[in-house]
Amino acid sequence: MESPTGGGVDLAVVRRFVDVAVDALAAAREEIDALNVYPVPDGDTGTNMYLTMSAARDALHQACTHSPGDPGDTDTGTDTGTGTDTDTGGTNVLTALAAFRRGALLGARGNSGVILSQLLGALVARIGRAGPGDRNATVMAEAMAEATEAAYAAVGTPVEGTILTVAKAASDAAVRRAANPRARARDVFEGAAEAARRALVETRDQLEPLRAAGVVDAGGRGLSVILDAAETVLTGRRPIPAPAPIGTHTIPAALAEADLREGGPSYEVMYLLDAADDVVPALRKALAPLGDSLVVVGGEGMWNVHVHVDDVGAAVEAGIAAGRPYRIRVTHFAEQVARQAERAARRGRARSGRRIVAVSAGPGLARLFGDAGAIVIGAGPGNRPSTGMILEAIAESDAAEVVILPNDQDSVRAARIAAQTAEEDLDVRVAVIPTEAQVQGLAALAVHEPARGFDADVLEMTATARHTRHGAVTIAARRAITMAGPCEPGDVLGVIEGDFALVGHDLTAVATEILERMLGAGGELVTLVSGTGANGLAQRCEEYVADRHAHVDVVVYDGGQDRYPLLMSVE
């Protein structure tokens, strides 16, 4: 995307477009959900596209705001909740686009969300290959054409009258506009958005389920919303609405369940897959006979697999044969429809009480949060919680008041999006305490008092978290320059408040020095959380504090977190 003044791809304009697109999908989410009758009338297309785009936006913002990376981190964009920045990119366009593409792939939900992630991924891949002499209009048109082609290729059996049809109409119009040598990127997206709106209206007559319900395709509507956002950002004008009503549809639970029993697969199976690119054709061939709505997207060793089946085990086994499947998600359509009916009923009945939702980076930490009464969302390297996961925890709490402890700086934004969505949809009061480390979350939860008023409780928890100094030790995985100096693979790194403060060679020596620095400003309580591979490190630090700071109390927990042998805090 070019800036309003031209001059190549402008990262600021890209970020503004993504923000506007996410906000537009949020506004249209319920409308799109109501249009969802194909391929399964499960009423979640708008939500899935919104959450997919939100995940991509989160990744883009993280890449643009974080400093170049944590030498102790080998997985871009992951953290265990120390507050340490672990993104390995900078703020250049290529790094930001790569993060955006990865965020969409990892955060994709549902059939339309997975197809959207492929469209976005292929689009930014072409933009990333643009040379300094390329015309922006040509690059954008080619990017849209490649995105459409990639989306068709990713779908096992492409069906017209869907998001694919709308994408094809938009990319064809983009190519026609770009053929004019005076065209600019804004002209390309204006033409694409206009063509998408026309194609969307026509989907109503291209598929029998849409014609019977009197609606347009839900996924196509979502894509049209995104293209309208691009037109708005680049031209400053709001698009003219479609000439005909797009239709509305409310799905009674009983009707939807009957429709689901009429021969379609019963389950939606999704998983991320680490696999070589050359095995994916065989994977598609193995999955195709199992059901329908097959979509496999990704590349360069990372894939997102989506399929509707009756045999869940066979779908997962196909992934195991191809590589390493993880984040496996199975949805029973009939149960999903029933849950949506129940959630709709919840909007009309009173919720009660207050619950805490906490993100945990290890099994021991999960037990600590759970024993304190929190609803726990598991996280860790390569498995940061999505907005959807946090939103589900809020929805299923049945509480009138919810406090979220993200316990990781990169999860704070996802928590805030989930909180805003829950307040709008569920009539629940939600507060996000911006805890950037697991130990801050533990400290905040320790002072939680349900008998207090909501505002007073949130204020006390926030103040406690804010005044909890946190640190950690980790092992360098590669050579790098840190704020504490250069490090080599295998060096021990000490962290204070998210910044590298010390480079050494001995775990105990580095850990005790970090503790000494943190206690230099005073403190009454030290919390030590032991991780994998700690080998008695927490106990040695406990003995050190008892010997050097007899007035300070020490609490030791087994957190089980990866990558960080020790997390610590001082209160």
Side-chain angles (χ1 to χ4, degrees), residues 130-446:
D134 292 343
R135 290 176 61 233
N136 273 340
T138 301
V139 170
M140 298 305 164
E142 290 179 356
M144 293 190 67
E146 290 185 16
T148 298
E149 183 179 347
Y152 270 89
V155 176
T157 305
V159 175
E160 297 303 330
T162 64
I163 185 174
L164 297 176
T165 304
V166 176
K168 182 68 165 57
S171 61
D172 286 349
V175 170
R176 288 194 297 272
R177 286 286 184 103
N180 183 339
R182 302 182 63 181
R184 304 180 70 183
R186 66 183 67 184
D187 304 314
V188 169
F189 279 101
E190 182 180 34
E194 180 184 0
R197 292 191 293 272
R198 290 198 304 268
L200 176 65
V201 173
E202 293 171 1
T203 62
R204 187 167 42 207
D205 298 319
Q206 292 175 302
L207 275 176
E208 179 54 35
L210 303 183
R211 184 164 44 248
V215 299
V216 298
D217 180 65
R221 171 60 177 150
L223 180 59
S224 181
V225 167
I226 293 170
L227 290 171
D228 285 350
E231 180 181 354
T232 297
V233 168
L234 289 173
T235 67
R237 301 188 299 272
R238 291 194 175 276
I240 299 173
I246 61 174
T248 58
H249 182 61
T250 301
I251 306 168
L255 173 61
E257 289 172 8
D259 290 345
L260 291 170
R261 288 195 298 266
E262 288 180 356
S266 298
Y267 298 93
E268 176 185 63
V269 177
M270 292 188 65
Y271 50 81
L272 297 177
L273 179 69
D274 289 339
D277 293 9
D278 59 3
V279 305
V280 172
L283 172 65
R284 287 194 175 103
K285 186 175 181 181
L287 290 171
L290 298 179
D292 57 33
S293 298
L294 171 62
V295 189
V296 182
V297 304
E300 300 176 358
M302 177 175 288
W303 302 85
N304 194 319
V305 179
H306 171 281
V307 65
H308 294 174
V309 297
D310 285 318
D311 191 342
V312 173
V316 176
E317 288 169 5
I320 294 172
R324 183 180 73 89
Y326 58 102
R327 275 203 220 174
I328 299 170
R329 182 184 179 96
V330 178
T331 302
H332 187 232
F333 289 125
E335 291 178 359
Q336 182 182 24
V337 170
R339 281 199 305 271
Q340 287 170 340
E342 181 182 352
R343 287 174 183 171
R346 282 176 181 168
R347 295 189 183 101
R349 72 171 187 256
R351 301 167 69 95
S352 63
R354 184 181 310 154
R355 295 297 303 273
I356 308 296
V357 174
V359 178
S360 158
L365 286 160
R367 285 191 294 273
L368 290 172
F369 287 120
D371 289 345
I375 298 171
V376 180
I377 300 175
N383 192 29
R384 182 172 291 120
S386 67
T387 299
M389 293 167 65
I390 300 173
L391 183 59
E392 287 177 5
I394 298 171
E396 294 173 7
S397 72
D398 276 334
E401 300 169 340
V402 176
V403 179
I404 306 176
L405 301 173
N407 301 334
D408 164 51
Q409 63 180 357
D410 293 331
S411 297
V412 172
R413 185 176 183 85
R416 285 174 172 157
I417 294 173
Q420 180 181 355
T421 303
E423 288 188 328
E424 293 172 354
D425 289 359
L426 303 174
D427 193 26
V428 55
R429 195 175 182 190
V430 187
V432 178
I433 298 177
T435 50
E436 297 185 347
Q438 297 286 309
V439 288
Q440 282 188 314
L442 290 173
L445 191 55

Side-chain angles (χ1 to χ4, degrees), residues 507 531-537 561 565:
L507 271 172
T532 58
N535 298 322
L537 177 61
Q561 71 275 0

